[in-house]
Amino acid sequence: MLTIALPKGRIAKLTLERFEHAFKEKFEFQNRKLILKKANFKFLNVRNQDVPTYVDYGSADIGVVGLDVLEEKSYDIVKLLDLRIGKCKVAIGLRQNQQLPYDKPLLKVATKHENIAKRYFEKKAMAVDIIKLYGSIELAPLVGLADCIVDIVETGDTMRENGLKVGDTILESSAYLIANKNSYTNKKREILKLKELLDGSR
Ligand code: PRP
């Protein structure tokens, strides 16, 4: 039995579709249920940012999670496969007609991705005040909370519709299959078989 942590929403749906394709049966969470048992797998329905935690602590053998989440914190896990779903980028967002004010002594940056943002501006030797937000990041520059944002861009619609433009890309992201280190040793055959199946079913 393999326990698999999936991030609530679209990525979970797309991943389960790969299981359906590979195993020729229906894989679907029942309404509010957080656990789905099917065909020797136990799926856990968890928040995106919590997937690596379940895998790191061994409550899940494997998981599916965005590279942006993996890059934001350090986890002691094995990265197995780029599933090439959930493609997006972490990018700078600025008000239209604005450039990044490189000469500002302290740039205010609003983001959910604190560490990714910190590393990016450190490399550019720019002093920044990182303002941690949990959502609706696009609002921050519009009301003067921040000079710019660092956020996920998929289509770019959210930024555009809020009068922002997409600036430099910091990270290209997609969903990865990850494994707990002990599980990867103890259940290697099972895990590699699944990796192959998921790789081959796209
Ligand atoms: C992300 C991000 C943007 C939006 C970008 O939010 O924070 O708001 O998607 O997508 P777009 O470029 O296609 O408009 P998400 O839906 O992941 O919700 P969250 O902020 O709750 O994580």
Side-chain angles (χ1 to χ4, degrees):
M1 167 84 86
L2 280 180
T3 302
I4 307 170
L6 295 181
K8 263 188 181 130
R10 212 169 51 88
I11 304 285
K13 213 170 153 264
L14 288 171
T15 308
L16 290 176
E17 276 171 20
R18 289 210 178 172
F19 276 85
E20 288 179 1
H21 190 255
F23 293 92
K24 312 280 176 234
E25 2 175 2
K26 196 99 197 118
F27 285 79
E28 204 172 18
F29 281 99
Q30 293 305 309
N31 41 56
R32 286 169 197 274
K33 286 256 166 71
L34 299 173
I35 297 179
L36 162 68
K37 283 185 189 161
K38 191 104 199 220
N40 228 24
F41 298 113
K42 183 154 93 178
F43 297 94
L44 311 179
N45 195 15
V46 310
R47 272 295 291 266
N48 189 30
Q49 288 91 338
D50 295 334
V51 168
T53 308
Y54 280 86
V55 174
D56 197 343
Y57 281 84
S59 297
D61 299 303
I62 58 178
V64 173
V65 67
L67 185 62
D68 63 307
V69 174
L70 293 177
E71 291 285 312
E72 183 53 27
K73 257 183 161 185
S74 63
Y75 299 100
D76 199 18
I77 49 101
V78 187
K79 230 194 278 170
L80 288 175
L81 171 72
D82 179 359
L83 290 165
R84 301 187 200 186
I85 53 174
K87 283 190 185 172
C88 61
K89 56 189 184 181
V90 178
I92 305 274
L94 296 153
R95 278 194 305 270
Q96 295 286 357
N97 314 320
Q98 195 202 357
Q99 300 302 322
L100 208 57
Y102 283 101
D103 50 349
K104 217 180 161 203
L106 191 65
L107 193 73
K108 289 193 288 173
V109 183
T111 188
K112 209 171 2 185
H113 296 82
E114 283 173 287
N115 293 317
I116 292 174
K118 223 177 265 173
R119 284 201 298 269
Y120 175 79
F121 287 106
E122 251 166 35
K123 263 196 218 145
K124 293 200 170 287
M126 287 173 76
V128 288
D129 176 12
I130 305 278
I131 302 166
K132 166 84 177 182
L133 293 178
Y134 293 89
S136 302
I137 320 287
E138 292 83 359
L139 186 61
L142 305 178
V143 295
L145 179 61
D147 298 303
C148 68
I149 62 171
V150 167
D151 199 17
I152 298 283
V153 176
E154 205 181 321
T155 59
D157 288 349
T158 311
M159 283 205 195
R160 260 192 306 277
E161 282 176 27
N162 287 291
L164 302 182
K165 65 177 176 190
V166 182
D168 287 354
T169 296
I170 300 180
L171 172 79
E172 300 277 357
S173 180
S174 54
Y176 276 71
L177 189 66
I178 59 169
N180 172 271
K181 280 194 166 168
N182 289 331
S183 302
Y184 191 57
T185 310
N186 302 333
K187 301 183 180 180
K188 195 163 190 162
R189 246 169 42 110
E190 252 179 292
I191 290 176
L192 287 181
K193 205 171 136 206
L194 180 65
K195 177 188 166 212
E196 240 171 75
L197 260 175
L198 290 176
D199 201 13
S201 66
R202 57 168 180 247

